[in-house]
Amino acid sequence: MGKGRKAALAIIIVIILVSLSYYYFFILPEDDVPVERAPDFEYYDLDEFLSPLIEEVPRNLSELRGSVVLLTFTDYSDAESMDQNNVTAEVYENYPDVDILTVDALVSEKGTTGLKNIRADYSFNWSFTFDSGGTIREKYDIVTLPTVIIIGKDGYGTFKAERVVEYAELSTNLDSALAGSAERINVGQLPGVKKAPDFELTDVNGEPLNLKDYRGKVLLLDFMSINCVSCKQAEKVLKDVYKKYDRDELEIVSIDIEDTEEEIRDHWDDHDIEWRVARDPGDMALKYHVTDIVHLVLIDKKGYLVYEKVGAPSKNELQNEIDDAIAGRSAPIELVEISFYLFAVLMGIGTFFSPCSFPMLPGYMSYYLQKDLAKQVKAEGAEKEAETEEERRKKRKASIKRAMASGTISAFGIVLVFTLIGVLVLLAGTAVKPYISQLGYIVGIILLVLGALMLTNLQYNKIIQPFQNMYRSITEKRSKKKEGEGEGDGESGEPSGAPVESSKGYYAGLFTYGVGYGAAAAACTAPLFIAIVTQALLQLELLEGIIVLFLYIISMVVLMIAVTVAIAMLGQSAVQKLASYTGAIKKFSGIVLIIVGIYLIVFYYLSL
């Protein structure tokens, strides 16, 4: 394999790794979570706490190390908790070597007398304590009552169940713990895994909306905007999913990153959406690393992130993830803390690989290869075929330079689109927002037309001929003016007023395709782009905000250049062989453009 192909292959591998890491590098498999001892905590024995004759002395769970501990979390006013207490009473009678501690999770200090009376009535003679502040429950991730935990002699957990555990099952697990044969497990918070970032919002109706209020339920966060194409598709799926589950199982909260509260309320009323929605105050997208919308985040009952999805999911996929979260089978994923600068880079990558624009990438590759091939064949028609290694080396070098220039020009087509969108929104406000989602549809029609033209004998240059003639007339006037100043010949060595070189049309075509690529991407990512850049300028200093915008732009430019150079280096060695198939390549390029155009049009109509 030649050096050129090796380099091209390396570039392609890097692009693939970058795109894969963008979607997957936050996932932390459950098997990688280390096992730690059961969390220690301080507590007061209920009998000592209520006795006027005994001084209140706090105890620690670690004092029981060396014995097997049965730790239960209950609520004496709950029927299932009382069932579990009755099972625990059997353990107390039959396992004198087991230390038992029951934490009544909801009783307050004032209610301890009532708990004492219940214990006396039912002869619950083992140690009880209370956790009115929730400190112990937080350490053990308790969201369901009753919860039963067994801790071995070495202080490591060996069993945990968030339900009523019958005596037979409990006895089996206690025997294993006493024998020292039970497997160690984490019974407290997962070490090294952070929970979902906390938030305190106000919904569009003025009501407080806090993450802690959903503890004990599975929560689906939906980062969206009203006019986002994929958000509309996801909305249909979420409506079906929301109806399937009870409210004590699943709640959905939408976070709109762009629209005004009035627009959101109107949309919710018009579409009969039942779940709550809040407007992103500016930090939610950054907290949850939202670089593209629609972006779904699933949080389990204990507050761990267990699922992320960029783009509209299928109904079956989402339901399977929710079922796993409700059943407690989901492995946690972790969000790595990132700065605004890294976030800008990720957002640029997300724009480049967005669901709306990524299907155009094969079309760009085909389009560039066909144009570059035609340019090289035309140049070689007037020159001798390269015969020496030095000439071939120069030819490869020239091809790479041309590819870098081509990729840069195509990338700035994307940048132009997002710059114009930002300016239009700044000047016209919300009036232009509904039309952004239609860019994908418009680009689809344009690609269909271009693809059809490439399949026919009608040449592209005939369409743009009037514009070329206009440009030539301007350049001729400038040339005559320069001639009068003693600057008759240009750098190319051709006479003044000579026809415009084909390279101008070549680069104009690539720039146009870049504009189309950016317009398609905007259908998915423009709302997020506007929101994040605005927040960067508001939250950071002006210079830092400009740097964020620059990093966003340069990440797209680098990716487009890398793709173009890879195409050029892979295609360069095959140019001679492909020269005789120029017509077929052109038709193939036309077919690719038509397919991409149909995709964008169908994608738009499915979102209506």
Side-chain angles (χ1 to χ4, degrees), residues 227-236 292-294 309-313 353-360 436-445 447-448 519-525 594-608:
N227 296 302
C228 153
V229 176
S230 57
C231 301
K232 294 177 182 178
Q233 292 178 320
E235 182 181 297
K236 298 175 183 178
D292 198 355
I293 53 173
V294 63
K309 175 71 175 181
V310 178
F353 291 110
S354 72
C356 296
S357 60
F358 187 71
M360 291 186 67
I436 293 176
S437 62
Q438 299 177 13
L439 288 174
Y441 174 76
I442 296 171
V443 172
I445 294 177
L447 292 181
L448 277 178
C524 284
T525 59
I594 289 174
I595 292 172
V596 174
I598 293 173
Y599 168 85
L600 292 174
I601 293 172
V602 172
F603 185 85
Y604 172 77
Y605 277 109
L606 287 176
S607 67
L608 297 179

Side-chain angles (χ1 to χ4, degrees), residues 67-69 88-100 126 167 174-175 178:
S67 300
V68 171
V69 177
T88 305
E90 290 187 64
V91 173
Y92 179 76
E93 293 295 330
N94 297 318
Y95 284 87
D97 294 334
V98 173
D99 285 320
I100 302 175
W126 62 92
Y167 179 79
L174 284 170
D175 289 342
L178 288 166

Side-chain angles (χ1 to χ4, degrees), residues 130-387:
F130 52 91
D131 184 34
S132 56
T135 304
I136 305 175
R137 278 175 290 156
E138 182 70 21
K139 289 186 175 183
Y140 281 84
D141 266 341
I142 304 300
V143 295
T144 303
L145 298 177
T147 292
V148 179
I149 294 171
I150 297 175
I151 302 172
K153 297 177 182 179
D154 56 3
Y156 286 93
T158 63
F159 177 80
K160 184 176 183 179
E162 298 174 324
R163 54 181 169 79
V164 176
V165 180
E166 300 298 336
Y167 179 79
E169 181 184 1
L170 194 54
S171 176
T172 300
N173 284 280
L174 284 170
D175 289 342
S176 297
L178 288 166
S181 60
E183 181 183 355
R184 293 174 175 179
I185 64 171
N186 281 307
V187 293
Q189 290 190 9
L190 295 177
V193 182
K194 294 182 179 180
K195 294 190 175 183
D198 196 15
F199 59 81
E200 295 183 0
L201 305 174
T202 302
D203 68 15
V204 295
N205 296 315
E207 298 296 326
L209 180 60
N210 305 322
L211 178 60
K212 63 182 180 181
D213 296 336
Y214 294 94
R215 187 75 182 269
K217 301 179 182 180
V218 173
L219 175 64
L220 180 63
L221 292 181
D222 164 39
F223 290 88
M224 44 70 69
S225 75
I226 292 174
N227 296 302
C228 153
V229 176
S230 57
C231 301
K232 294 177 182 178
Q233 292 178 320
E235 182 181 297
K236 298 175 183 178
V237 175
L238 295 186
K239 281 186 175 181
D240 292 336
V241 168
Y242 190 74
K243 293 176 182 177
K244 179 183 177 181
Y245 297 93
D246 294 333
R247 297 288 70 81
D248 60 347
E249 294 179 316
L250 173 73
E251 287 282 5
I252 300 177
V253 170
S254 290
I255 308 296
D256 191 301
I257 55 92
E258 179 194 25
D259 306 291
T260 66
E261 290 190 350
E262 182 178 357
E263 291 171 333
I264 298 170
R265 281 194 295 268
D266 290 343
H267 181 81
W268 248 240
D269 292 340
D270 294 342
H271 292 77
D272 297 322
I273 301 174
E274 299 179 36
W275 60 86
R276 299 175 71 185
V277 57
R279 192 173 185 275
D280 184 2
D283 60 348
M284 283 292 289
L286 182 62
K287 280 183 178 180
Y288 283 85
H289 303 173
V290 179
T291 57
D292 198 355
I293 53 173
V294 63
H295 187 124
L296 301 178
V297 176
L298 193 64
I299 303 172
D300 72 4
K301 298 176 182 179
K302 299 177 181 178
Y304 293 106
L305 278 78
V306 294
Y307 171 74
E308 278 190 288
K309 175 71 175 181
V310 178
S314 67
K315 182 179 177 181
N316 289 337
E317 175 192 357
L318 187 57
Q319 286 183 173
N320 289 337
E321 295 292 342
I322 292 172
D323 290 341
D324 287 344
I326 291 174
R329 296 189 298 264
S330 300
I333 63 176
E334 186 175 8
L335 295 177
V336 180
E337 294 297 325
I338 58 175
S339 66
F340 245 127
Y341 303 121
L342 178 57
F343 188 70
V345 173
L346 292 176
M347 189 172 64
I349 296 173
T351 299
F352 190 83
F353 291 110
S354 72
C356 296
S357 60
F358 187 71
M360 291 186 67
L361 196 56
Y364 171 75
M365 293 177 177
S366 178
Y367 181 82
Y368 170 77
L369 186 59
Q370 188 267 331
K371 289 290 184 182
D372 190 60
L373 177 60
K375 185 175 179 66
Q376 292 188 56
V377 170
K378 182 177 179 181
E380 290 173 2
E383 299 175 3
K384 289 184 178 181
E385 184 179 350
E387 296 179 353

Side-chain angles (χ1 to χ4, degrees), residues 496-557:
S496 302
V500 178
E501 293 181 331
S502 59
S503 61
K504 291 186 174 66
Y506 167 78
Y507 288 123
L510 292 173
F511 180 80
T512 302
Y513 204 99
V515 171
Y517 195 97
C524 284
T525 59
L528 185 64
F529 164 74
I530 296 168
I532 297 301
V533 173
T534 301
Q535 288 302 318
L537 292 173
L538 290 175
Q539 296 183 24
L540 305 176
E541 298 293 334
L542 178 61
L543 179 59
E544 293 175 320
I546 294 173
I547 292 174
V548 167
L549 182 58
F550 172 78
L551 290 173
Y552 172 81
I553 292 173
I554 202 67
S555 61
M556 289 191 295
V557 172

Side-chain angles (χ1 to χ4, degrees), residues 73-92:
F73 290 82
T74 61
D75 169 20
Y76 78 87
S77 63
D78 172 62
E80 288 189 343
S81 292
M82 289 302 295
D83 289 341
Q84 186 61 59
N85 285 335
N86 288 325
V87 173
T88 305
E90 290 187 64
V91 173
Y92 179 76

Side-chain angles (χ1 to χ4, degrees), residues 466-484:
F467 300 99
Q468 288 182 332
N469 291 338
M470 183 184 301
Y471 182 81
R472 286 173 184 166
S473 65
I474 295 172
T475 55
E476 285 176 1
K477 291 179 181 179
R478 291 180 178 175
S479 298
K480 289 179 181 179
K481 183 178 180 181
K482 288 182 179 180
E483 253 183 57

